[in-house]
Amino acid sequence: QFMSQVQFDCIDKIAFNLRAVMSWYQECVSILADHEQGWEYTNPVGFTMRQFYTRKLSTSIPTPNYSVRIQTTNGDINKTKQVSGISANQTHSLDGALLVLAHATFNGTMSVIHDSVGCHSSDMEELQTSLRKSHVLLYQGNRLAEMKQQNEDRTGLTLPEPPKMGDIELSDVLTATY
């Protein structure tokens, strides 16, 4: 608990709006869960991220030598899991979209594991350029407003307004030294 608070304090100092985005995600999925709805967002590369955690039911069937446990779902949404998972799940979905975009413009051999990417050292500069250009392409516009609109259109519910956009110049990613 101590370290998680230290991490959140650092996030608040360095990237103050990240906590606001996380809280907004959580508020949205909480409202959706109250109406037995999950979260869906189709990102710019066409992948749909769906989050619909349901409550599990467990039954134990005794046999002569051991018991067999069978887990099923009753279909009811698990609000706690929805709220706790949304920030990481949506972020990983966008990380995946970024890698798809980068792969489409990269001419070398590329390896991908989860949200990490690699290539031959001789291709590093080209991969870095592909990733930077893909980042700008992926995050131009207001993705949070898109997420809100897609979920409202799908469910008919009204969700809160997303946090205001910051004033960072997105194209600075193209020339950043880090």
Side-chain angles (χ1 to χ4, degrees):
Q1 285 182 337
F2 170 76
M3 282 309 294
S4 66
Q5 188 57 52
V6 169
Q7 288 175 325
F8 280 126
D9 289 346
C10 291
I11 289 170
D12 288 343
K13 289 176 184 165
I14 296 168
F16 61 90
N17 218 24
L18 291 180
R19 285 278 291 262
V21 172
M22 181 178 172
S23 295
W24 177 77
Y25 280 144
Q26 291 173 333
E27 187 178 356
C28 288
V29 297
S30 180
I31 291 166
L32 292 167
D34 286 340
H35 294 85
E36 292 299 317
Q37 297 289 324
W39 175 267
E40 287 187 20
Y41 173 61
T42 301
N43 65 37
V45 298
F47 292 146
T48 300
M49 183 275 207
R50 290 184 181 95
Q51 180 177 292
F52 193 85
Y53 289 113
T54 55
R55 297 195 184 283
K56 304 288 185 207
L57 299 176
S58 183
T59 304
S60 187
I61 302 170
T63 67
N65 297 323
Y66 55 90
S67 290
V68 176
R69 186 176 171 154
I70 299 173
Q71 200 172 48
T72 61
T73 179
N74 67 357
D76 293 339
I77 201 157
N78 185 329
K79 185 175 180 177
T80 301
K81 285 191 117 178
Q82 286 290 104
V83 170
S84 67
I86 187 59
S87 294
N89 291 339
Q90 186 60 68
T91 299
H92 289 307
S93 170
L94 291 171
D95 287 346
L98 176 67
L99 293 176
V100 167
L101 288 170
H103 184 266
T105 60
F106 181 63
N107 293 319
T109 301
M110 181 175 168
S111 63
V112 177
I113 300 172
H114 188 56
D115 57 359
S116 298
V117 63
C119 68
H120 295 292
S121 59
S122 60
D123 295 331
M124 186 58 73
E125 193 170 320
E126 182 186 346
L127 177 59
Q128 189 178 72
T129 299
S130 293
L131 285 165
R132 289 169 185 258
K133 287 179 178 178
S134 297
H135 181 88
V136 171
L137 181 65
L138 180 63
Y139 289 105
Q140 64 189 4
N142 189 335
R143 295 290 173 234
L144 298 180
E146 282 180 9
M147 293 173 194
K148 174 186 185 293
Q149 190 65 54
Q150 286 183 21
N151 279 284
E152 286 180 339
D153 290 348
R154 183 179 53 80
T155 65
L157 298 171
T158 301
L159 299 175
E161 290 300 316
K164 299 282 184 223
M165 297 282 285
D167 60 0
I168 293 174
E169 180 56 47
L170 191 56
S171 63
D172 286 350
V173 169
L174 299 172
T175 57
T177 57
Y178 49 89

